[in-house]
Amino acid sequence: MANNSTRFVRWSAEKYNAVGHCIYCGSTENLSDEHIVPLGLQPKGGDWFLPQASCGECADVTKRFEGLCLQGTLGPLRAKLNLRSRRKLKTTVELTTNHRDDGCVETRVVPLDEFPMVCLGFDLEPAGLLRHIQPAKEFVGRNVVRYQKGELEKHLQEGVALKLGRVGPLDYARMLAKIAHSYAIARFGEASFVPFLPEIILGKSDYAPHFVGGDRSGVPLIDEPNVLHRVYGQACDLNGQPYLLVAVRLFAFMGMPRYLVVVGKIADGSLERLRRIPL
Ligand SMILES: [Zn+2]
């Protein structure tokens, strides 16, 4: 099981040229570096970002949904793995239990060790666009909780439910969209595709399920020991139109699901070039 001394392999720390404008709105004002995987999900010593790629206004928007995912959904896990953080990582965590017999809900602050090492995510239907359906606003799927055998059981008592975190599929999907969009620009260049995701990321479109979804390829996923996250691109052809997809698997070592994000239409003449880029 991973712990503070876990060494994550295959961590990409590739360096990219400065973009010089916001990859979401195009502004050239008040630019800062954009982390491809949020800083709070990167291991200590890791650094993976696109320089000068987000304006202040868009950074305020992305910070909000990333904060909800990183603290509400993944906070205790990040602290247990000792991932990067702008603030000091917590050494204690709130543990909320619900006693089924009398309905008593109790919240206690406990040392981090007393909280199970679990990872939360979603098993989502694939993106609507890949299924040729009309754009929808609601995600279809179920919550996923992954943990190593024994890790959750030792924290459970008979008749007592344990609150593991708050999970919001839309916030999570916007975080995945941001990872996929910034990765695609870093890796393949802005000119190689017509982007679909900036409006989703900025909260100006409600149709996230059309572009962000799970991977129901039927290929069973295995835990990837020591691989923290895996992100890679792939091209896909739908009715003669090539699309650029980015696969995102956060916490791969815990056997979490893989998401497939449709980042855009591949620009005319770019497909051959993209095929030559090793994924
Ligand atoms: Zn912007």
Side-chain angles (χ1 to χ4, degrees):
M1 196 66 212
N3 54 40
N4 290 355
S5 63
T6 299
R7 293 279 175 269
F8 293 111
V9 296
R10 297 183 220 175
W11 179 256
S12 174
E14 213 172 322
K15 299 277 179 253
Y16 307 104
N17 294 330
V19 179
H21 57 258
C22 177
I23 60 172
Y24 308 112
C25 75
S27 167
T28 52
E29 305 286 312
N30 198 7
L31 295 177
S32 58
D33 298 342
E34 184 63 320
H35 286 89
I36 293 171
V37 166
L39 178 134
L41 295 184
Q42 299 197 15
K44 291 254 164 77
D47 213 356
W48 196 25
F49 63 95
L50 198 49
Q52 299 290 294
S54 175
C55 76
E57 231 169 275
C58 292
D60 283 343
V61 175
T62 57
K63 222 180 283 167
R64 228 167 291 146
F65 61 74
E66 279 187 355
L68 291 169
C69 295
L70 266 52
Q71 276 134 47
T73 311
L74 299 166
L77 179 65
R78 289 175 51 228
K80 279 177 173 283
L81 294 172
N82 197 24
L83 300 182
R84 292 183 66 188
S85 179
R86 288 198 171 85
R87 284 171 241 145
K88 204 170 175 308
L89 282 167
K90 290 179 177 172
T91 53
T92 57
V93 62
E94 274 186 5
L95 185 77
T96 300
T97 49
N98 185 349
H99 296 253
R100 289 197 191 94
D101 50 355
D102 56 6
C104 173
V105 177
E106 187 188 12
T107 299
R108 289 179 296 138
V109 175
V110 299
L112 201 56
D113 287 349
E114 285 183 32
F115 198 88
M117 181 146 153
V118 295
C119 191
L120 307 181
F122 298 92
D123 178 11
L124 296 176
E125 288 286 343
L129 190 146
L130 300 178
R131 291 182 289 137
H132 308 280
I133 61 167
Q134 288 299 312
K137 296 181 181 178
E138 299 295 326
F139 281 98
V140 177
R142 58 186 181 87
N143 293 341
V144 172
V145 180
R146 292 271 155 80
Y147 56 93
Q148 204 176 44
K149 199 167 162 43
E151 181 62 28
L152 190 55
E153 293 87 335
K154 72 184 178 200
H155 297 276
L156 288 180
Q157 301 162 40
E158 187 71 29
V160 181
L162 185 65
K163 183 179 170 187
L164 297 172
R166 290 184 300 277
V167 191
L170 181 58
D171 294 319
Y172 202 86
R174 288 171 76 190
M175 179 174 78
L176 294 170
K178 200 199 106 165
I179 294 170
H181 181 69
S182 53
Y183 174 83
I185 289 175
R187 197 81 181 78
F188 310 118
E190 269 181 310
S192 62
F193 64 101
V194 180
F196 290 152
L197 301 172
E199 303 244 297
I200 304 287
I201 295 165
L202 297 178
K204 292 179 178 169
S205 162
D206 295 328
Y207 296 102
H210 202 57
F211 305 105
V212 182
D215 167 23
R216 294 266 174 87
S217 61
V219 180
L221 285 179
I222 47 158
D223 296 3
E224 299 184 77
N226 302 325
V227 178
L228 183 56
H229 313 304
R230 188 185 292 287
V231 183
Y232 57 92
Q234 61 188 64
C236 126
D237 186 285
L238 289 179
N239 300 334
Q241 169 63 53
Y243 290 91
L244 183 59
L245 311 187
V246 171
V248 182
R249 195 178 187 203
L250 302 175
F251 300 100
F253 73 97
M254 291 189 77
M256 293 303 289
R258 178 168 50 206
Y259 306 97
L260 276 182
V261 184
V262 189
V263 296
K265 279 183 188 174
I266 293 181
D268 291 345
S270 290
L271 188 60
E272 278 314 305
R273 191 181 61 79
L274 288 181
R275 285 215 171 103
R276 290 195 297 270
I277 298 177
L279 294 176

mmCIF file of all heavy atoms in Angstrom, residues 29 45 126 168 179:
data_model
loop_
_atom_site.group_PDB
_atom_site.id
_atom_site.type_symbol
_atom_site.label_atom_id
_atom_site.label_comp_id
_atom_site.label_asym_id
_atom_site.label_seq_id
_atom_site.Cartn_x
_atom_site.Cartn_y
_atom_site.Cartn_z
ATOM 1 N N GLU A 29 -3.726 39.147 -20.406
ATOM 2 C CA GLU A 29 -3.539 39.887 -19.157
ATOM 3 C C GLU A 29 -3.276 38.947 -17.984
ATOM 4 O O GLU A 29 -3.899 37.911 -17.882
ATOM 5 C CB GLU A 29 -4.819 40.677 -18.808
ATOM 6 C CG GLU A 29 -5.316 41.616 -19.884
ATOM 7 C CD GLU A 29 -4.456 42.862 -19.998
ATOM 8 O OE1 GLU A 29 -4.172 43.452 -18.942
ATOM 9 O OE2 GLU A 29 -4.060 43.226 -21.129
ATOM 10 N N GLY A 45 8.059 17.080 -5.272
ATOM 11 C CA GLY A 45 9.175 16.955 -6.210
ATOM 12 C C GLY A 45 8.708 16.923 -7.650
ATOM 13 O O GLY A 45 9.500 17.087 -8.569
ATOM 14 N N PRO A 126 -19.812 6.721 -21.013
ATOM 15 C CA PRO A 126 -18.894 7.453 -21.897
ATOM 16 C C PRO A 126 -19.520 8.774 -22.367
ATOM 17 O O PRO A 126 -20.749 8.932 -22.369
ATOM 18 C CB PRO A 126 -18.695 6.489 -23.071
ATOM 19 C CG PRO A 126 -19.004 5.138 -22.514
ATOM 20 C CD PRO A 126 -20.068 5.355 -21.488
ATOM 21 N N GLY A 168 -18.940 15.587 -6.138
ATOM 22 C CA GLY A 168 -19.853 16.222 -7.086
ATOM 23 C C GLY A 168 -19.386 15.930 -8.502
ATOM 24 O O GLY A 168 -18.282 16.324 -8.876
ATOM 25 N N ILE A 179 -7.736 19.217 -17.044
ATOM 26 C CA ILE A 179 -6.530 18.391 -17.220
ATOM 27 C C ILE A 179 -6.373 18.035 -18.700
ATOM 28 O O ILE A 179 -5.300 18.192 -19.287
ATOM 29 C CB ILE A 179 -6.622 17.101 -16.364
ATOM 30 C CG1 ILE A 179 -6.593 17.439 -14.869
ATOM 31 C CG2 ILE A 179 -5.494 16.126 -16.722
ATOM 32 C CD1 ILE A 179 -6.914 16.248 -13.955
#
